[in-house]
Amino acid sequence: MDPAAAAADLFRRTFGAEPRHIAIAPGRVNLIGEHTDYSLLPVLPFAIDRATAVAIGPSDGPSVRAVSDAFPSPAHFPLDAVPATLAEPWHRYLAAARSALADRLPAEGACLAIASDLPAASGLSSSSALTVALLLAFDALWSLRLSRDDLVGLAAHAERLAGAETGGMDQRVIAFARPAHLLRIDFLPPAMTHLAVPGAWAFVVASSGQPAPKGGTARAAYNERVVATRIAAALLADLLGVDPLEAPVLGAIAAIDAAPLLVDELPARISARNAAAAAGIPLEPLVTLSAGAFDPDLPLPVRAFARHVLSEAERVDLACAAVTAGDLAALGELMAASHASLRDDYRCSTPALDALAKAMTNAGAAGARLTGAGFGGFAIAVCERGRERPVIDAAVAAAGGPAFTVTPSAGARLA
Ligand code: NG1
């Protein structure tokens, strides 16, 4: 059963009534442009043909009641529940979506049933899909008339309320994707470009057999990279003689020709405190994260991290050109180079992801790379249409699966 039908069915069985609306939000996979979004450098994701659906209807009391086909414990909390105080992660996302809309909503409750065919903790954005689907469902129930840009901003805000530092790519592609197209997203200045995918190409995604958790050490490792790239931006601005950046991000200096050349001048490791002193800037913009502050004395490998981010942004430009030219071999090489850079410079791959990317390439994919934050999760491969089977089989043999084809699909919508 598809997620929309499954959510409607679960709603009927749980609440004994027909849902008023069903909102659907796809997962996404990032083709290339990894760990560039929080530096405000471009990414090239697409929405996939797997999704989370939320069936919604009114409730007779001032509370939110929800059930999910993926998690056993139902949610039942008052309208003013604070997301961080809820024990279950999916309850936090639900309360966060409700509270992101708080000042626009009537003091009425809702009943919700959630169904999904997206694997969780995979790097396929199941949490952003859930958040966008929830917002779209609330929008429909209470006729809020949110624009797509509202939806993107509110979803990112809600995910931060739920405790996730998020770069901004996921919500945007989930809201704006088109069937058979990739979406190049630029952040500085903001722009979106839909790129048609050549009909002879196919995409396969595969699990590395290890989850890509959003909490604990994986979140700490993600935050280290957010802070390290800010440090690199501040030090490069200083080396380039440009004004200290109010919000130090590599995207603010990447277009200066000399910037990539100066990366080798960066210290191999430096702490935020020492970098702020060296660049003559305050410490706070370097270490402030939405989920709290970061240890300012932890030395971070800023040179290697900056080398990855700046080279990855160039690969996004080249990948867009390869897609437009229909050059599958060129795209495959860029994906292999992206994976090598994530493995060697950004240090967010795992032996299982390395083996998986290699197995899919050996089985005939033009290229393969880890996708999402890394430290586990999924890899993506591109191949000629009709050649998917050996790539899927090789992925399952290497890492145990699941592995399946994904098709560039439409963004979030009502059923
Ligand atoms: P995943 O691991 O797919 O959720 C995360 C970030 C993205 C981006 C990528 C790395 C969240 C919700 N998403 O993606 O914004 O930074 O890592 O390219 O944290």
Side-chain angles (χ1 to χ4, degrees):
M1 207 186 304
D2 72 74
D9 186 55
L10 183 59
F11 190 96
R12 278 182 217 110
R13 281 188 284 120
T14 310
F15 302 113
E18 279 298 309
R20 284 271 177 87
H21 305 278
I22 301 168
I24 303 166
R28 70 94 181 94
V29 66
N30 192 18
L31 183 61
I32 199 161
E34 215 64 82
H35 286 283
T36 47
D37 61 351
Y38 48 84
S39 287
L40 304 186
L41 286 164
V43 290
L44 188 59
F46 61 90
I48 63 174
D49 47 329
R50 289 185 177 231
T52 295
V54 173
I56 194 166
S59 99
D60 44 18
S63 62
V64 173
R65 296 177 61 200
V67 285
S68 155
D69 70 348
F71 304 100
S73 48
H76 190 185
F77 51 79
L79 298 182
D80 57 357
V82 177
T85 61
L86 302 173
E88 290 274 336
W90 77 273
H91 295 185
R92 288 204 283 273
Y93 280 95
L94 185 55
R98 175 74 184 61
S99 59
L101 288 169
D103 54 353
R104 308 179 192 222
L105 291 186
E108 291 167 17
C111 293
L112 303 103
I114 301 164
S116 183
D117 59 1
L118 275 169
S122 58
L124 298 179
S125 256
S126 58
S127 49
S128 295
L130 172 62
T131 310
V132 172
L134 287 167
L135 289 167
L136 207 55
F138 287 133
D139 180 34
L141 184 62
W142 287 303
S143 308
L144 303 176
R145 299 181 192 287
L146 299 177
S147 70
R148 288 278 139 164
D149 277 315
D150 289 340
L151 198 59
V152 170
L154 288 163
H157 177 56
E159 287 197 52
R160 292 189 190 112
L161 290 177
E165 190 75 26
T166 172
M169 136 169 72
D170 304 348
Q171 303 81 7
R172 187 154 287 277
V173 64
I174 288 170
F176 283 97
R178 288 185 193 156
H181 285 74
L182 311 174
L183 182 65
R184 176 187 167 123
I185 305 172
D186 287 274
F187 300 95
L188 209 61
M192 286 188 288
T193 315
H194 293 273
L195 293 177
V197 178
W201 295 7
F203 302 99
V204 172
V205 294
S207 169
S208 66
Q210 295 163 335
K214 283 277 173 285
T217 53
R219 184 49 61 186
Y222 186 89
N223 289 346
E224 275 178 20
R225 284 151 182 78
V226 173
V227 172
T229 51
R230 291 178 187 171
I231 293 174
L235 293 175
L236 284 172
D238 193 44
L239 286 170
L240 288 161
V242 303
D243 281 343
L245 306 170
E246 227 169 84
V249 285
L250 285 167
I253 48 135
I256 301 172
D257 284 347
L261 304 173
L262 287 175
V263 168
D264 287 342
E265 310 284 313
L266 290 172
R269 294 182 87 84
I270 190 168
S271 68
R273 191 186 303 284
N274 290 342
I281 58 163
L283 179 59
E284 284 66 35
L286 297 179
V287 292
T288 305
L289 300 168
S290 45
F294 184 86
D295 176 2
D297 295 307
L298 186 68
L300 297 167
V302 297
R303 187 196 298 158
F305 285 178
R307 193 163 51 219
H308 165 71
V309 174
L310 293 174
S311 66
E312 184 76 353
E314 279 179 26
R315 283 187 287 274
V316 174
D317 287 339
L318 296 170
C320 290
V323 172
T324 307
D327 190 339
L328 183 63
L331 177 63
E333 277 173 29
L334 291 162
M335 289 172 70
S338 169
H339 186 85
S341 177
L342 289 159
R343 180 191 62 212
D344 300 338
D345 278 339
Y346 223 58
R347 300 171 205 176
C348 63
S349 189
T350 62
L353 281 165
D354 297 343
L356 180 58
K358 191 164 172 220
M360 290 200 283
T361 309
N362 288 346
R369 53 180 291 282
L370 74 84
T371 184
F375 314 106
F378 272 53
I380 178 168
V382 59
C383 64
E384 281 170 23
R385 188 168 293 284
R387 300 280 297 271
E388 301 93 324
R389 195 69 250 167
V391 176
I392 290 172
D393 290 345
V396 173
F404 45 88
T405 56
V406 285
T407 309
S409 298
R413 59 206 177 270
L414 293 177

